[in-house]
Amino acid sequence: AKKLPAGPQNGPGNSDGLKKLLVMCAQTLGDLPDRKTRIAAIDKMWNKVHYEGGVLVIIESGSIAGHEIVQEARSHLIDNMKNSFVVAPCGHNAPCGLFRKAEGPMANSRRLEKPELDFFPRCSFPVRYERPHWAFTKGQDDGNQRTMVVESFNYIIVGKNVNQLPPALQAPRIIGTRV
């Protein structure tokens, strides 16, 4: 089994000469204007990942658009980077069973009308947190109100130069829940 290195090391393909054990991109790819720009950003981040067990983490919103972006990144890395392995939320490089492309003559119009039909179910994860009172009252209250918010996110963790999960993580896992 390959072990993670003690720390960032010098390596090729990195402008500052250092590779990172963890490269994270959160809520950013969805703001880029098109697929070509997103793929270029993913490639640039992948080149920053340490070549012996570093990981790239991509997090997007729990919406259908966020799911599409995460699946786009997953497909690109699996198809184009031979040293990539999906670590989470599902530890394999097989096609995602939760992502179906719209097919048939009405696919584009159907997708615009009911995009949720392309995803069964969507792979998103809820997070619950307390929003501070000043974030939604503009300081106009006494601060005694509590507001709990539930939002969801999609994510993927891709490892570089690893080819399987540790045995303890190779069992089936729950990958989504309803809130």
Side-chain angles (χ1 to χ4, degrees):
K2 292 183 178 179
K3 294 183 179 180
L4 288 176
Q9 305 289 321
N10 289 329
N14 196 325
S15 61
D16 63 3
L18 294 177
K19 296 289 187 173
K20 315 301 184 213
L21 294 177
L22 173 65
V23 176
M24 182 176 285
C25 176
Q27 307 287 343
T28 303
L29 293 176
D31 294 335
L32 299 178
D34 54 35
R35 183 180 194 282
K36 182 178 178 182
T37 309
R38 285 191 299 272
I39 295 301
I42 291 165
D43 288 344
K44 189 170 187 173
M45 289 182 287
W46 186 250
N47 287 334
K48 295 278 187 183
V49 176
H50 195 281
Y51 46 87
E52 288 186 7
V55 295
L56 171 60
V57 178
I58 296 174
I59 303 169
E60 286 294 330
S61 73
S63 66
I64 291 172
H67 181 75
E68 277 186 331
I69 289 167
V70 169
Q71 288 298 325
E72 178 181 81
R74 181 183 193 275
S75 295
H76 173 71
L77 290 168
I78 290 170
D79 294 345
N80 298 293
M81 309 300 176
K82 294 182 190 239
N83 57 353
S84 65
F85 184 78
V86 178
V87 176
C90 46
H92 62 79
N93 280 3
C96 177
L98 301 180
F99 186 73
R100 296 185 311 215
K101 292 192 181 279
E103 296 175 352
M106 300 299 292
N108 288 336
S109 63
R110 179 177 65 97
R111 188 154 184 248
L112 291 173
E113 294 169 13
K114 295 193 178 265
E116 67 276 5
L117 294 176
D118 293 338
F119 308 98
F120 181 78
R122 186 169 66 237
C123 185
S124 63
F125 301 86
V127 61
R128 184 180 184 145
Y129 63 95
E130 182 177 351
R131 182 179 288 164
H133 72 92
W134 49 262
F136 60 91
T137 64
K138 298 180 181 152
Q140 303 298 320
D141 73 343
D142 59 8
N144 291 326
Q145 295 178 346
R146 291 184 64 187
T147 301
M148 298 305 288
V149 178
V150 177
E151 294 185 11
S152 63
F153 64 95
N154 292 289
Y155 78 101
I156 186 169
I157 301 174
V158 182
K160 190 178 259 190
N161 284 330
V162 294
N163 55 12
Q164 67 179 10
L165 291 174
L169 298 177
Q170 291 180 5
R173 295 180 283 165
I174 297 172
I175 59 169
T177 60
R178 288 215 177 264
V179 177

